[in-house]
Every structure is written in structure tokens, then in C-alpha cells.
Amino acid sequence: MLQPAGVAPAWLARAGRFANAVALTNTLGVADDAQAVRLFLRERASHSPHTLRAYVTELRRLAAWCTRERLGPFSDLTRRDLMAYRDTIQAPRHHGDGKTRRAAPATVSRALAVVSSLYAWWHRTGYLSVNPAEGLAAGRRARMTWTPVRFLSAAALANCDAVATGDTPDDVPSTVWTRRRAIWALYRFAGVRLAELVWNEALALPRIEVDEARQWTLHVTGKGNKVRAVPLPSACLPALRAYRRVRGLPDDPPPGEQLPLIHSERGRALGPSGLYDEVRAVFALAAARLPPDDSAMRVALEGASTHWLRHGYARTLVVDHLVPLPVAQALLGHASVETTATYARTDSTQLRAFVKGSFPVP
């Protein structure tokens, strides 16, 4: 999975100077980087195809750099090595058009975050005796300067909503389409991460609670196994109720119901790949129905994922409706309010409106 072009398989299948050979403290129970990388990816990235691809891409980038520099494996890299790698990906590069460009800050931040996460997890689980990547990523500074950019425009979202609430396509079974509409409604109007809609039988989550006024609240498990409650707007309830009727369930979940929210065709809980594919299918259909000259929106829809809907949900709360940051933080399940605050920096016109409103003309 990790082998980039020009890197021999044996390069990763060994242990470096910082690998912990003491079985008592090496809780992973493996003796080389190849096995340790697989466990890391399974633990930290397997819940989302998009996350897994991103993690593998960044680890391949590091492996390719190590090969060029005649370094490695990963568990042999020193702090100085990793700092040199950071300098390399931040340095300007010459391109075929004769221009020199630097990697986008978001690209650099993502690359360093993945590498830092690998070493921190390895050290925490005892595979490494030290963490040479401590402080590699910018940490707090990165969170304060990061700005989410993976958004769909209001027009693109409206186009997707029209597709999702429209008639069943001729080539899609009605039961599949009803399920797809329900999945779209949950990601579109709850702002959840991909993995948060995956059924956890031990916790009986995610689940829906309905109050006396027939208002729905979605309960999910977020990062750090923290449970949070997300009120669902009325806009998404028709699709969810229609899907429950197709499954032979009452419109509203009764108290104590412990069933997966979404099922596969075989009757089991639908996993992360299935959920991801259903949302991507809505994006693809919306892109296919665009006029031929609307290439910009088509490109955006073809590259969108479930996390784009989460970004859009956050922006709607923070920018469009000025929801207080602590409230938005609780709804999104952010560990830090600083992460929630980044969405406020995505619209400079909002800042101008705040200033004008604070200092009106006499």
C-alpha cells in the first residue's frame, strides 16, 4: 500500500534505531515499520476512504524523500532528518512553465500533520522509544492560520439538494434511492464526520431520539469517543421518515430503539465506504445534470466528499447565521474553539459588516 515508485518493499519492512525491541512495552507487538504502518492506518484512517487516501499519500511522500536522501526506514529518522523534510516540502520549486512556486500552506500543514500523527501514535503505543517528530507541525499556530477552503458554493449545494429531493433516476432502484436521500440528508444537515454515521453496536450509536413535539436529535460518537447531540432540522426529516417506512419501521424511532440508522442491501449496517459512495453518487448525478458550459461547478462536485458537507454546515452556522462559536463548537464536536473560529475567517465581508455595525455613522 505504501510503496512509492522506486522504493523497494524491503525498505519499509525493517526497524530503525528508535524502534522499541522490548516486548513488554511495545504494545503493538510488531518488529518492523511495515507492520506498524498498517496498524497505524487501520487505527487512525480506516474509518474514511478519503482520510486513508490522504494518509497514504503523505506517507508515500515521506518515503520517497527518504529514498532520495538515502535515509530510513521511518523508525530510523532523527529529529534533524524530519526538520530537513519539513524544509524540503516548504521550499519553493521550479515548474515546467519556468515559474517558482511554494506548496500551499494547507498542503504543507496536512503533510506535517500526518507525519506527526504517525510518530506520536507509534511513541504512545510503545513501538518507538522516542518521538523525533515532536513539534514538527506548527501546532497552535497552524490551527490559527488554517482556513478551510473545501466548500461547495450555495448554487452547487442547491443543485445537489434538488437532485436528492427529485424523482428517482431510471437506473436506480427506488429502495436504493430512498436510502441515498436519507444518507444525503444526514450528512447535509447534521454536519457529521463520515465515521460518525457508522453503526457502533457496543455503544448503540448513532441513534435518534424524538421528543414530544416530534423533533429529532441525532446522537453520535465523535473523536475521542465523545458523544454529542445534534438537533436535526425539519428539512431533513421527510427523507429519513421515508427511508424508515421502506424498511418497515414507524416514521419516528420509538424510545429505546437500537438499530443501525442505515442498512446495506444485505441487511447489515452500512459501513464507511458504502456511506461515502452514496454521497458521492449524489455529487456525480448533480454534476452530470449541469449545463455543458458550467465546468467550474462540475469540477467542484467531482472533487467533493462528505467532509465538504461538514465544512458547509460549519460555515452556515458561523458565517451565515452568526451562531456563537461555543455553540457551533458543541454541534461540530471540535476539541478546540479555535478550530471552529477558522470558519469565521472565510468571509471578509462579514468582518466589514461587524465593524460598520459597531461604529455607525453619527
Side-chain angles (χ1 to χ4, degrees), residues 305-326:
S305 69
T306 55
H307 217 68
W308 288 44
L309 297 180
R310 177 170 164 81
H311 285 321
Y313 177 88
R315 190 177 185 182
T316 298
L317 294 177
V318 175
V319 176
D320 298 341
H321 295 284
L322 308 183
V323 172
L325 290 181

Side-chain angles (χ1 to χ4, degrees), residues 7-148:
V7 177
W11 180 87
L12 194 63
R14 54 200 175 110
R17 76 190 83 175
F18 300 122
N20 181 15
V22 181
L24 185 63
T25 54
N26 181 351
T27 63
L28 292 188
V30 298
D32 64 67
D33 286 11
Q35 298 178 74
V37 164
R38 282 193 289 270
L39 292 175
F40 167 74
L41 292 174
R42 187 178 68 184
E43 172 76 17
R44 302 302 301 271
S46 62
H47 63 281
S48 163
H50 175 77
T51 301
L52 181 60
R53 284 193 299 269
Y55 273 49
V56 170
T57 296
E58 297 307 334
L59 294 182
R60 280 177 173 163
R61 190 203 304 264
L62 176 60
W65 177 82
C66 289
T67 302
R68 291 194 301 270
E69 299 296 321
R70 299 174 182 264
L71 298 171
F74 292 156
S75 61
D76 198 64
L77 300 184
T78 66
R79 180 175 179 80
R80 178 176 296 181
D81 294 332
L82 291 171
M83 292 301 177
Y85 173 67
R86 182 180 68 180
D87 293 341
T88 298
I89 62 176
Q90 289 178 333
R93 293 187 178 183
H94 299 287
H95 294 261
D97 57 5
K99 296 182 179 179
T100 300
R101 301 185 183 90
R102 293 181 181 272
T107 300
V108 174
S109 178
R110 180 176 61 248
L112 298 180
V114 170
V115 173
S116 295
S117 180
L118 171 72
Y119 282 93
W121 190 79
W122 274 359
H123 185 231
R124 190 164 59 250
T125 56
Y127 177 69
L128 290 184
S129 57
V130 297
N131 179 8
E134 182 68 35
L136 177 68
R140 184 176 183 274
R141 177 181 294 181
R143 290 195 300 270
M144 292 301 291
T145 58
W146 172 77
T147 298

Side-chain angles (χ1 to χ4, degrees), residues 188-200:
R188 173 77 168 88
F189 297 107
V192 291
R193 302 177 180 91
L194 175 64
E196 291 175 347
L197 290 188
V198 178
W199 174 247
N200 184 323

Side-chain angles (χ1 to χ4, degrees), residues 78-337:
T78 66
R79 180 175 179 80
R80 178 176 296 181
D81 294 332
L82 291 171
M83 292 301 177
Y85 173 67
R86 182 180 68 180
D87 293 341
T88 298
I89 62 176
Q90 289 178 333
R93 293 187 178 183
H94 299 287
H95 294 261
D97 57 5
K99 296 182 179 179
T100 300
R101 301 185 183 90
R102 293 181 181 272
T107 300
V108 174
S109 178
R110 180 176 61 248
L112 298 180
V114 170
V115 173
S116 295
S117 180
L118 171 72
Y119 282 93
W121 190 79
W122 274 359
H123 185 231
R124 190 164 59 250
T125 56
Y127 177 69
L128 290 184
S129 57
V130 297
N131 179 8
E134 182 68 35
L136 177 68
R140 184 176 183 274
R141 177 181 294 181
R143 290 195 300 270
M144 292 301 291
T145 58
W146 172 77
T147 298
V149 295
R150 294 181 298 171
F151 290 103
L152 287 174
S153 66
L157 283 173
N159 186 25
C160 292
D161 288 338
V163 167
T165 57
D167 295 335
T168 305
D170 295 335
D171 60 341
V172 180
S174 60
T175 54
V176 173
W177 182 250
T178 302
R179 183 186 66 180
R180 187 172 298 168
R181 291 182 60 199
I183 294 171
W184 172 264
L186 285 168
Y187 283 111
R188 173 77 168 88
F189 297 107
V192 291
R193 302 177 180 91
L194 175 64
E196 291 175 347
L197 290 188
V198 178
W199 174 247
N200 184 323
E201 187 171 1
L203 299 176
L205 291 172
R207 72 173 187 274
I208 299 290
E209 288 188 353
V210 183
D211 63 17
E212 295 179 354
R214 298 190 71 192
Q215 298 179 113
W216 288 30
T217 300
L218 173 66
H219 297 262
V220 298
T221 307
K223 289 186 176 180
N225 291 324
K226 293 182 179 179
V227 179
R228 73 178 188 278
V230 183
L232 296 178
S234 300
C236 73
L237 300 190
L240 299 178
R241 286 174 172 146
Y243 176 60
R244 289 182 59 83
R245 287 195 293 271
V246 167
R247 288 174 56 190
L249 299 171
D251 280 13
D252 294 340
E257 181 179 87
Q258 295 189 6
L259 294 173
L261 294 186
I262 307 295
H263 282 80
S264 68
E265 285 82 352
R266 296 182 179 180
R268 301 173 182 173
L270 194 62
S273 296
L275 293 167
Y276 181 84
D277 290 343
E278 290 297 274
V279 175
R280 290 286 300 131
V282 175
F283 288 137
L285 185 56
R289 294 184 178 182
L290 289 174
D293 59 345
D294 202 344
S295 58
M297 187 181 295
R298 182 176 294 103
V299 169
L301 290 172
E302 290 173 350
S305 69
T306 55
H307 217 68
W308 288 44
L309 297 180
R310 177 170 164 81
H311 285 321
Y313 177 88
R315 190 177 185 182
T316 298
L317 294 177
V318 175
V319 176
D320 298 341
H321 295 284
L322 308 183
V323 172
L325 290 181
V327 176
Q329 178 192 6
L331 291 172
L332 291 160
H334 286 153
S336 170
V337 75

